[in-house]
Amino acid sequence: MDQFKDKLLSSFIVFENQLNGQKNKPFHQLRRSAIDTFETKGFPTVRDEEWKYTNLKPLFKKDYNVFHSSEESLEFRDIRRYFLSESDTYKIVFINGFFASWLSSTTHQNYDVCTFSSALEKYQDIIDEYAGTIARNEDSLTALNTSFAREGAFIHIPDGKVVDRPIEIIFFTTDGDNNTFIQPRNLVVVGQNSQCNIVERHQSLGNQHTVSNCVTEVLAKKGAQVTYHKIQNDAPNASLIDSTTVKQEKDSTVTLHTFSFGGKLTRNNLEFDLVEPGAQANLYGISILNDYQLVDNHTVVNHISPHCESNELYKGIFDDHARGVFNGKVHVFPHAQKTNAFQENNNLLLTDTASIDTKPQLEIYADDVKCSHGCTIGQLDEDALFYLRQRGIPHKEAQALLMFAFTTDALRGLKIGELKNKLNRLIARKLSVNIDFDL
Amino acid sequence: MLKIKNLHARIDEVEILKGINLEIKAGEVHAIMGPNGSGKSTLSSVIAGREDYEITEGSIEFSGEDIMELSPEERAHMGLFLSFQYPVEIPGVSVTNFLKTAINESRKGRGLEPMPAKDMLKKMREKMAMLEMDKSFMSRAINEGFSGGEKKRNEIFQMAMLEPKLAILDETDSGLDIDALRVVASGVNKLRNENNAILVITHYQRLLDHIIPDKVHVLQGGKIVRSGDKNLALELESKGYDWLKHEPAI
């Protein structure tokens, strides 16, 4: 870990020298203080309470390329299957950290759907106002991302606009021979009473080890409605550390779906700040893992203001030696009366070697609140299995149907038809059955 | 159609079936009656292939084939249907989607193509009308929040859709009020023909007023202690099961 840390620290100097004019902009001050934070704190270890169940050491013992070359031979038809649609979505596509304009479909009409790097050049006022104000800069991995932040998605929706189609953000890595470390940085600002739907995906196309340390900041202004979907179905050697921080103003609704079906190690840090009354945060997660895959869902909902609501529902299915971690913290601040906070984590373990560590944490400093939490760990219901088999549904398909049924309440509210179909197919493939689940 | 010889079965070291002999021919309706704990539900589970039970002796033949080694789904594909005493609630799976999967997997098991969606829908509508079921059933999750009567009606609806060769109705009358009993029984009667057979398992005689059996068997202590025609059911109803308490197995 120390070796790779040293490599990152020295890479920062190289990176800084590539920045030219950007070096003198206020955002770079943020990078500088962030690299100091990372230098002081380093990679988190299992001694750190928040990383007790997920050991990053094996991951960062390896060496990774930090600087990459752009790959321009990738064609849309080769990667069509990772997208929802060929023409009915906006697309912000990156390959090895570089923007791939020929695969993308951006816009500046009515709203901006483009790249973080172009925003650094063109929308400096928005960058200065929001970038780095929502993310947790004291967190060492967020700081590491901030110190190299230059590329990623930039979505800025002014007040009163409804984005007419879903926005797809996809990060591809292709480095065939090298282990790859990338650090995408996304900023999403949704104006008052505006609406947008986002789908984010990280996809390694090579066999080498890939680690993405991704940071996303989302601001939902008064009355904004944002639905954010994260599809995590990456290659067996690909790992993702995702830190997404959401700030919600009055009467805004943000729904975040996390679908974890693959990848070596997936760590989701989701943190919501409900800063004004009437904000509603919905966090839904479905993890279906097998082999030696690991998903670690760490969520924090900060009820800072009164009259806010949060709903959290995470469903996990773990087969083979797969491991899950769920750590859900709900923090109700002293003045946040009339808070409604609901949290649930249900898990199915299909083998004796699969495991889940689940830890709900409620910290409540107000006295007029409704908070609930619960977690369950179980196996498939044998009576239900027999019932389905008696009706002619074979064992494997019956199991799949029950597992799908187990996840469905975390799938509610999905509005994008093509996304439903895609998930339907992904889940069927993940459970290796050929049945139509009908979402 | 169904031939059971000297069937012994146990669960967790406890012997429940102690030598059952039963033969049902195509076109027949048989009833098995017996007090609680006599082994009625065990018998239906064992015929359907539930793996919790261990068969220690005897044989089960269905359609001329030994089915003892077959999985529940393989037996279902051969045309065996069990209407459950306690149908299982499966949240998240709609009645339509469940039936579509069940029918097409059964067809696949028999080497047939999937049923066209249009035909499936038409058939569903017909059978629902026959059982006086509301169309809203189709989109509801299977058995979730169904009343006892609705669950039983839904079982017979599935039977109507799957058109089994042998249907075992396990305590189908429990939870049904008089009107629902009439509708369900008339549905079952419409499904009867010379090529299929029905085994009614019941504690009470009242269902047999509507589904008239050709033969009635009394199960007690894991054995069939008496067989007769429909009048045996009436006799049992008036005399109670104690009447046959000390009857030896036949």
Side-chain angles (χ1 to χ4, degrees), chain A residues 187-381:
Chain A
L187 177 63
V188 178
V189 178
V190 184
Q192 292 189 11
N193 301 312
S194 290
Q195 294 177 24
C196 72
N197 290 302
I198 299 167
V199 181
E200 179 193 320
R201 198 165 176 165
H202 299 259
Q203 192 63 46
S204 161
L205 302 172
N207 298 320
Q208 296 303 311
H209 291 270
T210 302
V211 178
S212 304
N213 179 36
C214 184
V215 170
T216 302
E217 297 180 281
V218 179
L219 173 63
K221 293 190 185 176
K222 187 179 160 190
Q225 291 183 36
V226 182
T227 310
Y228 205 122
H229 313 83
K230 291 173 183 279
I231 302 178
Q232 302 168 343
N233 186 36
D234 214 340
N237 281 336
S239 297
L240 170 67
I241 299 163
D242 181 73
S243 301
T244 296
T245 315
V246 181
K247 184 175 170 183
Q248 290 187 242
E249 296 180 353
K250 194 173 181 344
D251 299 328
S252 62
T253 302
V254 176
T255 302
L256 201 147
H257 291 271
T258 306
F259 306 104
S260 308
F261 302 145
K264 186 186 180 69
L265 180 156
T266 307
R267 164 74 174 226
N268 291 303
N269 296 312
L270 292 184
E271 191 153 355
F272 281 70
D273 290 342
L274 308 179
V275 298
E276 287 178 7
Q280 183 182 340
N282 302 312
L283 294 78
Y284 300 124
I286 296 177
S287 307
I288 306 176
L289 295 184
N290 58 353
D291 203 6
Y292 282 88
Q293 295 164 341
L294 162 72
V295 66
D296 178 347
N297 284 307
H298 258 67
T299 66
V300 180
V301 180
N302 292 310
H303 281 269
I304 297 165
S305 181
H307 295 282
C308 290
E309 183 179 327
S310 63
N311 300 295
E312 198 169 349
L313 181 59
Y314 276 77
K315 300 269 186 171
I317 300 174
F318 303 94
D319 200 354
D320 302 334
H321 291 80
R323 280 185 53 214
V325 179
F326 176 78
N327 191 117
K329 191 188 279 184
V330 175
H331 187 166
V332 182
F333 282 61
H335 302 294
Q337 303 297 1
K338 306 288 180 190
T339 287
N340 278 325
F342 165 85
Q343 183 192 81
E344 196 163 327
N345 173 232
N346 307 125
N347 301 285
L348 285 179
L349 296 181
L350 304 181
T351 63
D352 292 341
T353 45
S355 70
I356 171 85
D357 290 293
T358 174
K359 184 176 164 195
Q361 278 177 284
L362 267 62
E363 288 182 26
I364 302 171
Y365 300 101
D367 52 17
D368 186 12
V369 300
K370 270 190 218 156
C371 295
S372 72
H373 69 89
C375 60
T376 61
I377 299 170
Q379 284 87 37
L380 284 178
D381 178 356

Side-chain angles (χ1 to χ4, degrees), chain B residues 23-70:
Chain B
E23 182 167 359
I24 303 175
K25 295 195 174 74
E28 290 182 345
V29 174
H30 285 229
I32 289 186
M33 299 182 71
N36 291 330
S38 58
K40 299 193 301 289
S41 284
T42 298
L43 178 62
S44 57
S45 293
V46 168
I47 298 171
R50 179 131 197 179
E51 284 148 356
D52 305 355
Y53 297 93
E54 188 194 347
I55 296 175
T56 50
E57 230 184 303
S59 66
I60 309 174
E61 265 181 35
F62 177 55
S63 294
E65 219 180 289
D66 174 3
I67 58 167
M68 306 256 282
E69 297 298 318
L70 298 185

Side-chain angles (χ1 to χ4, degrees), chain B:
Chain B
M1 167 115 21
L2 182 73
K3 214 182 266 181
I4 297 176
K5 279 191 197 151
N6 190 31
L7 184 67
H8 290 251
R10 62 181 186 184
I11 186 167
D12 301 333
E13 307 293 310
V14 181
E15 188 166 49
I16 300 190
L17 301 181
K18 299 171 181 171
I20 303 269
N21 291 293
L22 180 67
E23 182 167 359
I24 303 175
K25 295 195 174 74
E28 290 182 345
V29 174
H30 285 229
I32 289 186
M33 299 182 71
N36 291 330
S38 58
K40 299 193 301 289
S41 284
T42 298
L43 178 62
S44 57
S45 293
V46 168
I47 298 171
R50 179 131 197 179
E51 284 148 356
D52 305 355
Y53 297 93
E54 188 194 347
I55 296 175
T56 50
E57 230 184 303
S59 66
I60 309 174
E61 265 181 35
F62 177 55
S63 294
E65 219 180 289
D66 174 3
I67 58 167
M68 306 256 282
E69 297 298 318
L70 298 185
S71 65
E73 55 268 35
E74 286 167 325
R75 297 179 199 206
H77 297 166
M78 286 176 71
L80 188 75
F81 178 89
L82 170 62
S83 167
F84 282 60
Q85 183 179 0
Y86 302 108
V88 183
E89 299 194 8
I90 308 175
V93 179
S94 70
V95 170
T96 309
N97 197 32
F98 171 66
L99 267 175
K100 194 174 77 184
T101 312
I103 287 174
N104 285 335
E105 290 295 341
S106 291
R107 290 176 69 92
K108 199 157 89 187
R110 296 189 203 117
L112 300 170
E113 290 291 304
M115 185 186 278
K118 209 179 72 190
D119 298 0
M120 180 106 57
L121 216 59
K122 186 165 167 260
K123 190 170 176 180
M124 278 189 200
R125 289 214 185 93
E126 279 170 22
K127 305 298 180 188
M128 283 192 142
M130 181 182 90
L131 291 161
E132 298 175 21
M133 290 165 81
D134 193 85
K135 280 201 291 287
S136 66
F137 258 96
M138 293 167 76
S139 52
R140 286 172 70 183
I142 199 123
N143 294 324
E144 191 186 29
F146 285 24
S147 69
E150 285 173 330
K151 283 183 184 169
K152 295 303 172 72
R153 208 180 280 220
N154 186 36
E155 291 291 280
I156 302 307
F157 169 58
Q158 292 180 43
M159 170 185 163
M161 289 299 295
L162 291 161
E163 298 175 334
K165 277 198 218 156
L166 173 69
I168 304 168
L169 310 183
D170 190 1
E171 306 278 1
T172 296
D173 52 332
S174 69
L176 290 181
D177 59 31
I178 302 294
D179 292 329
L181 185 73
R182 185 186 47 76
V183 174
V184 163
S186 104
V188 171
N189 286 328
K190 281 180 198 151
L191 297 170
R192 284 175 70 169
N193 61 46
E194 67 274 20
N195 298 318
N196 63 24
I198 294 167
L199 176 59
V200 180
I201 291 178
T202 181
H203 187 93
Y204 302 104
Q205 188 266 339
R206 63 172 195 161
L207 181 62
L208 304 180
D209 286 339
H210 302 274
I211 305 173
I212 314 287
D214 299 301
K215 281 195 180 142
V216 174
H217 313 275
V218 181
L219 187 65
Q220 214 158 25
K223 291 172 185 171
I224 288 174
V225 294
R226 186 173 287 203
S227 294
D229 62 10
K230 61 181 178 183
N231 293 317
L232 178 58
L234 293 167
E235 209 173 343
L236 268 174
E237 187 76 359
S238 62
K239 294 185 178 168
Y241 286 109
D242 280 350
W243 166 53
L244 293 171
K245 210 169 181 175
H246 302 292
E247 202 86 348
I250 55 171

